[in-house]
């Protein structure tokens, strides 16, 4: 009798969740992974699907997102024509990337920028603090992780000084990524000084009933006086102290400092998330009068879970298929979608040199096993895979033919494609591409290449475990 009842419950849960999955038209890999989990462990699988199976931002957020979209498009159409550049002057591959970016997001190609690549955390923080100390009107920051200690305390002190001299300081922090910081004296000091601190996507047990709690704000944006901006991979955390118990070494990051109209656009992108979180009006201040500071052409490419289309995946696919000679990628987490895996393999087969640089150790055992499952597929077609052994390589970069650079917060995994708010800088600038490629070469020098014969020789149990975890990778 008990067995029959449990079988009935098992069947009921499996059918109920299956019907829900089929009604949502999930990606094939995600749907199959959820079905497998529900069939194998129905109670756990059903509960997991309830909590993280769908991209639920909540009714209020989605209503705001629907109302906000036409406002953002109208704002984008009013970007001063003097800063907008036609993509027609780019070569064919770059033009296709630019047109897809504009068609997907609505943000045009912009000219007149000076780009500076900052390749280590200390130099990044020194430059950012100097710009905050020089701020006259506004400082706007949005980062996934804030972690007190080390040079972060110096940054907080600079923000306090700016607030006290009348500079408008707005700070967005992800609720989960910055959880410990919200209980810190540093945060209290910011608020006492008058800085406006916004907690993005708050985490609490009650919200878990209505929203998916692992939808996170993974962006890294700093904008000073709407003239200077930063974006890239670094959180507001000193790598000498951050996650030192994870056994992966110090995190290795890079950022780009941007002078030009893209700084104002980055602030507007961040203000759109402020509007989603707080319900405030989306009303970016007008752009400042900016002298032409350089010759770089760039596009800002935000992405997030509020839309049904994986725009960032489409951008990366277009870039890979546009490559003629070389693609070099760095990412801490590599769990690609099937289309991206196919694109990289196809590039290598048609003669494009493809180099993937990833850390030898990452701070997630499941991600490590899932990522390893793809290595043989890549090595077998001649793709070079390098394991960076000098810390957790956290820089997210793609350089195409030493001409085009995609640089920002996006990891090469489904979490970045589907679940996180992310932002990327697309730079159509050979000088910046060469600089970024040089940084990638420095990473290569600190890495060891994987060999196909050695990889084949790994224990059978590891191969089985990696393939099993990879089957569930759409859920990671």
């Amino acid at each position: 009798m008990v067995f029959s009842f449990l079988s009935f419950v098992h069947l009921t849960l499996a059918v109920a969740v299956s019907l829900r999955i089929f009604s949502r038209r999930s990606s094939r890999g995600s749907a199959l992974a959820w079905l497998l989990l529900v069939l194998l462990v129905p109670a756990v699988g059903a509960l997991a699907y309830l909590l993280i199976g769908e991209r639920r931002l909540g009714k209020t957020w989605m209503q705001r997102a629907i109302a906000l979209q036409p406002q953002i498009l109208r704002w984008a159409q009013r970007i001063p024509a003097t800063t907008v550049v036609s993509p027609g002057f780019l070569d064919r591959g770059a033009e296709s990337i630019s047109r897809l970016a504009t068609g997907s997001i609505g943000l045009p190609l912009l000219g007149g920028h000076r780009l500076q690549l900052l390749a280590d955390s200390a130099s990044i923080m020194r430059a950012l603090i100097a710009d905050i100390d020089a701020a006259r009107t506004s400082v706007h920051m949005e980062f996934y992780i804030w972690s007190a200690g080390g040079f972060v305390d110096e940054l907080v002190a600079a923000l306090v000084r700016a607030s006290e001299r009348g500079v408008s300081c707005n700070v967005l922090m992800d609720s989960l990524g910055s959880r410990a910081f919200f209980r810190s004296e540093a945060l209290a000091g910011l608020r006492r000084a008058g800085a406006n601190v916004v907690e993005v996507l708050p985490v609490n047990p009650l919200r878990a009933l209505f929203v998916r709690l692992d939808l996170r704000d993974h962006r890294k944006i700093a904008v000073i006086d709407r003239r200077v901006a930063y974006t890239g991979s670094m959180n507001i955390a000193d790598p000498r102290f951050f996650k030192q118990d994870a056994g992966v070494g110090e995190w290795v990051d890079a950022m780009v400092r941007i002078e030009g109209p893209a700084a104002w656009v980055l602030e507007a992108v961040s203000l759109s998330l402020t509007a989603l979180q707080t319900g405030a009006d989306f009303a970016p201040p007008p752009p400042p009068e900016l002298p032409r500071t350089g010759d770089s052409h760039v596009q800002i490419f935000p992405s997030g879970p509020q839309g049904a289309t994986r725009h960032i995946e489409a951008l990366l696919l277009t870039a890979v298929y546009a490559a003629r000679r070389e693609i070099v990628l760095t990412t801490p987490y590599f769990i690609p979608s099937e289309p991206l895996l196919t694109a990289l393999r196809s590039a290598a087969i048609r003669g494009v040199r493809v180099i993937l640089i990833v850390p030898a150790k990452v701070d997630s055992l499941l991600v490590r096993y899932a990522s390893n499952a793809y290595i043989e597929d890549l090595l077998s077609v001649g793709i070079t895979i390098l394991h960076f052994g000098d810390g957790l390589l956290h820089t997210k970069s793609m350089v195409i033919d030493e001409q085009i650079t995609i640089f920002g917060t996006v990891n090469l995994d489904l979490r970045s494609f589907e679940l996180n708010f992310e932002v990327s800088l697309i730079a159509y600038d050979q000088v910046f591409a060469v600089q970024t490629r040089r940084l990638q070469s420095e990473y290569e020098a600190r890495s060891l290449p994987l060999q196909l014969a050695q990889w084949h020789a790994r224990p059978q149990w590891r191969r089985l475990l990696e393939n099993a975890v990879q089957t569930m990778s759409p859920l990671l």
Side-chain angles (χ1 to χ4, degrees):
M1 181 68 72
V2 173
F3 179 76
S4 298
F5 175 73
L6 291 177
S7 298
F8 174 75
V9 172
H10 183 169
L11 180 62
T12 302
L13 284 173
V15 170
V17 176
S18 299
L19 290 174
R20 179 66 181 181
I21 292 171
F22 296 148
S23 72
R24 306 287 296 183
R25 198 183 178 275
S26 304
S27 66
R28 182 176 62 179
S30 177
L32 290 175
W34 278 116
L35 287 171
L36 180 62
L37 183 63
V38 170
L39 290 173
L40 291 177
V41 278
V44 174
L47 178 61
Y49 186 83
L50 177 65
L51 294 175
I52 63 170
E54 299 171 5
R55 288 183 289 170
R56 293 177 293 120
L57 279 164
K59 182 179 179 180
T60 300
W61 262 73
M62 291 311 299
Q63 288 176 339
R64 290 173 181 170
I66 292 170
L68 187 63
Q69 187 61 26
Q71 298 177 45
I72 294 174
L73 292 176
R74 287 195 297 271
W75 165 83
Q77 291 167 359
R78 294 197 297 269
I79 292 175
T82 53
T83 67
V84 176
V85 177
S86 170
F89 89 96
L90 300 170
D91 67 30
R92 185 175 179 180
E95 181 181 358
S96 66
I97 296 170
S98 179
R99 291 192 183 279
L100 180 129
T102 301
S104 299
I105 303 299
L107 297 179
L109 179 65
L110 303 173
H113 297 86
R114 179 175 179 266
L115 304 179
Q116 179 184 2
L117 182 64
L118 300 170
D120 67 272
S121 299
S123 62
I124 293 166
M125 194 57 64
R126 283 195 300 270
L128 183 53
I129 290 172
D131 282 331
I132 292 172
D133 280 333
R136 298 180 179 179
T137 59
S138 63
V139 175
H140 190 97
M141 300 183 70
E142 175 187 349
F143 284 82
Y144 172 55
I145 294 173
W146 287 68
S147 181
F151 54 51
V152 174
D153 295 342
E154 300 173 37
L155 175 72
V156 170
L159 286 170
V160 168
R161 291 192 297 270
S163 293
E164 290 176 343
R165 67 175 183 268
V167 174
S168 173
C169 293
N170 294 282
V171 180
L172 279 70
M173 304 177 184
D174 182 83
S175 180
L176 184 62
S178 303
R179 194 165 191 174
F181 194 82
F182 279 104
R183 301 190 296 269
S184 69
E185 174 57 30
L187 179 81
L190 279 175
R191 284 178 164 155
R192 283 196 300 269
N196 177 42
V197 179
V198 177
E199 181 178 4
V200 181
L201 296 166
V203 174
N204 60 65
L206 182 61
R207 283 178 58 82
L209 300 175
F210 306 101
V211 302
R212 180 169 175 172
L213 293 185
D214 65 337
L215 303 179
R216 307 314 319 161
D217 177 19
H218 194 239
R219 292 172 180 166
K220 289 90 176 169
I221 296 172
V223 185
I224 295 90
D225 292 341
R226 292 186 290 282
R227 298 170 179 270
V228 175
Y230 294 75
T231 194
S233 66
M234 196 183 85
N235 290 292
I236 304 300
D238 191 324
R240 296 171 297 176
F241 308 104
F242 182 65
K243 286 195 173 183
Q244 284 302 294
D245 58 349
V248 296
E250 293 187 7
W251 290 35
V252 177
D253 284 292
M255 298 283 275
V256 57
R257 183 180 184 272
I258 307 161
E259 295 180 52
W264 172 67
V265 173
L266 274 169
E267 183 177 86
V269 166
S270 189
L271 287 173
S272 70
L273 191 57
T274 306
L276 282 174
Q277 180 61 58
T278 66
D281 292 336
F282 176 69
E289 292 292 331
L290 292 173
R292 189 178 184 88
T293 57
D295 298 319
S296 295
H297 296 85
V298 306
Q299 277 179 287
I300 302 301
F301 195 90
S303 54
Q306 73 273 34
T309 304
R310 299 192 320 209
H311 292 302
I312 185 61
E313 181 186 34
L315 176 74
L316 296 175
L317 290 173
T318 302
V320 170
Y321 283 118
R324 299 175 183 174
R325 299 183 305 278
E326 183 185 72
I327 305 167
V328 185
L329 309 105
T330 67
T331 180
Y333 311 115
F334 182 76
I335 307 179
S337 63
E338 286 299 324
L340 182 58
L341 182 66
T342 300
L344 291 171
R345 284 171 50 85
S346 298
I349 291 168
R350 71 174 190 269
V352 175
R353 185 185 185 209
V354 181
I355 301 173
L356 173 65
I357 310 172
V358 295
K361 295 181 180 180
V362 295
D363 55 338
S364 169
L365 190 61
L366 288 177
V367 169
R368 186 183 307 175
Y369 283 127
S371 181
N372 285 347
Y374 296 96
I375 287 176
E376 186 170 334
D377 288 338
L378 300 174
L379 291 177
S380 64
V381 294
I383 292 175
T384 300
I385 302 177
L386 298 165
H387 269 178
F388 182 84
D390 209 5
L392 195 153
L393 179 60
H394 196 240
T395 303
K396 305 95 164 43
S397 64
M398 173 188 284
V399 178
I400 305 294
D401 296 336
E402 291 197 358
Q403 299 287 332
I404 304 161
T405 307
I406 300 176
F407 189 92
T409 70
V410 175
N411 298 311
L412 297 181
D413 64 7
L414 294 177
R415 172 164 295 280
S416 277
F417 293 174
E418 289 192 354
L419 304 182
N420 291 338
F421 287 95
E422 307 278 7
V423 67
S424 300
L425 172 80
I426 314 168
Y428 309 88
D429 179 336
Q430 185 179 18
V431 173
F432 183 72
V434 169
Q435 290 174 349
T436 307
R437 183 68 187 91
R438 189 178 300 127
L439 175 62
Q440 292 173 330
S441 295
E442 292 176 9
Y443 295 153
E444 289 182 58
R446 298 157 69 185
S447 304
L448 293 176
L450 298 185
Q451 305 296 335
L452 184 58
Q454 293 176 338
W455 193 251
H456 278 156
R458 73 194 191 282
Q460 182 66 21
W461 68 265
R462 277 195 56 186
R463 186 190 304 267
L464 292 173
L465 180 59
E466 289 161 1
N467 289 340
V469 176
Q470 185 272 335
T471 302
M472 308 306 292
S473 63
L475 314 185
L476 298 177

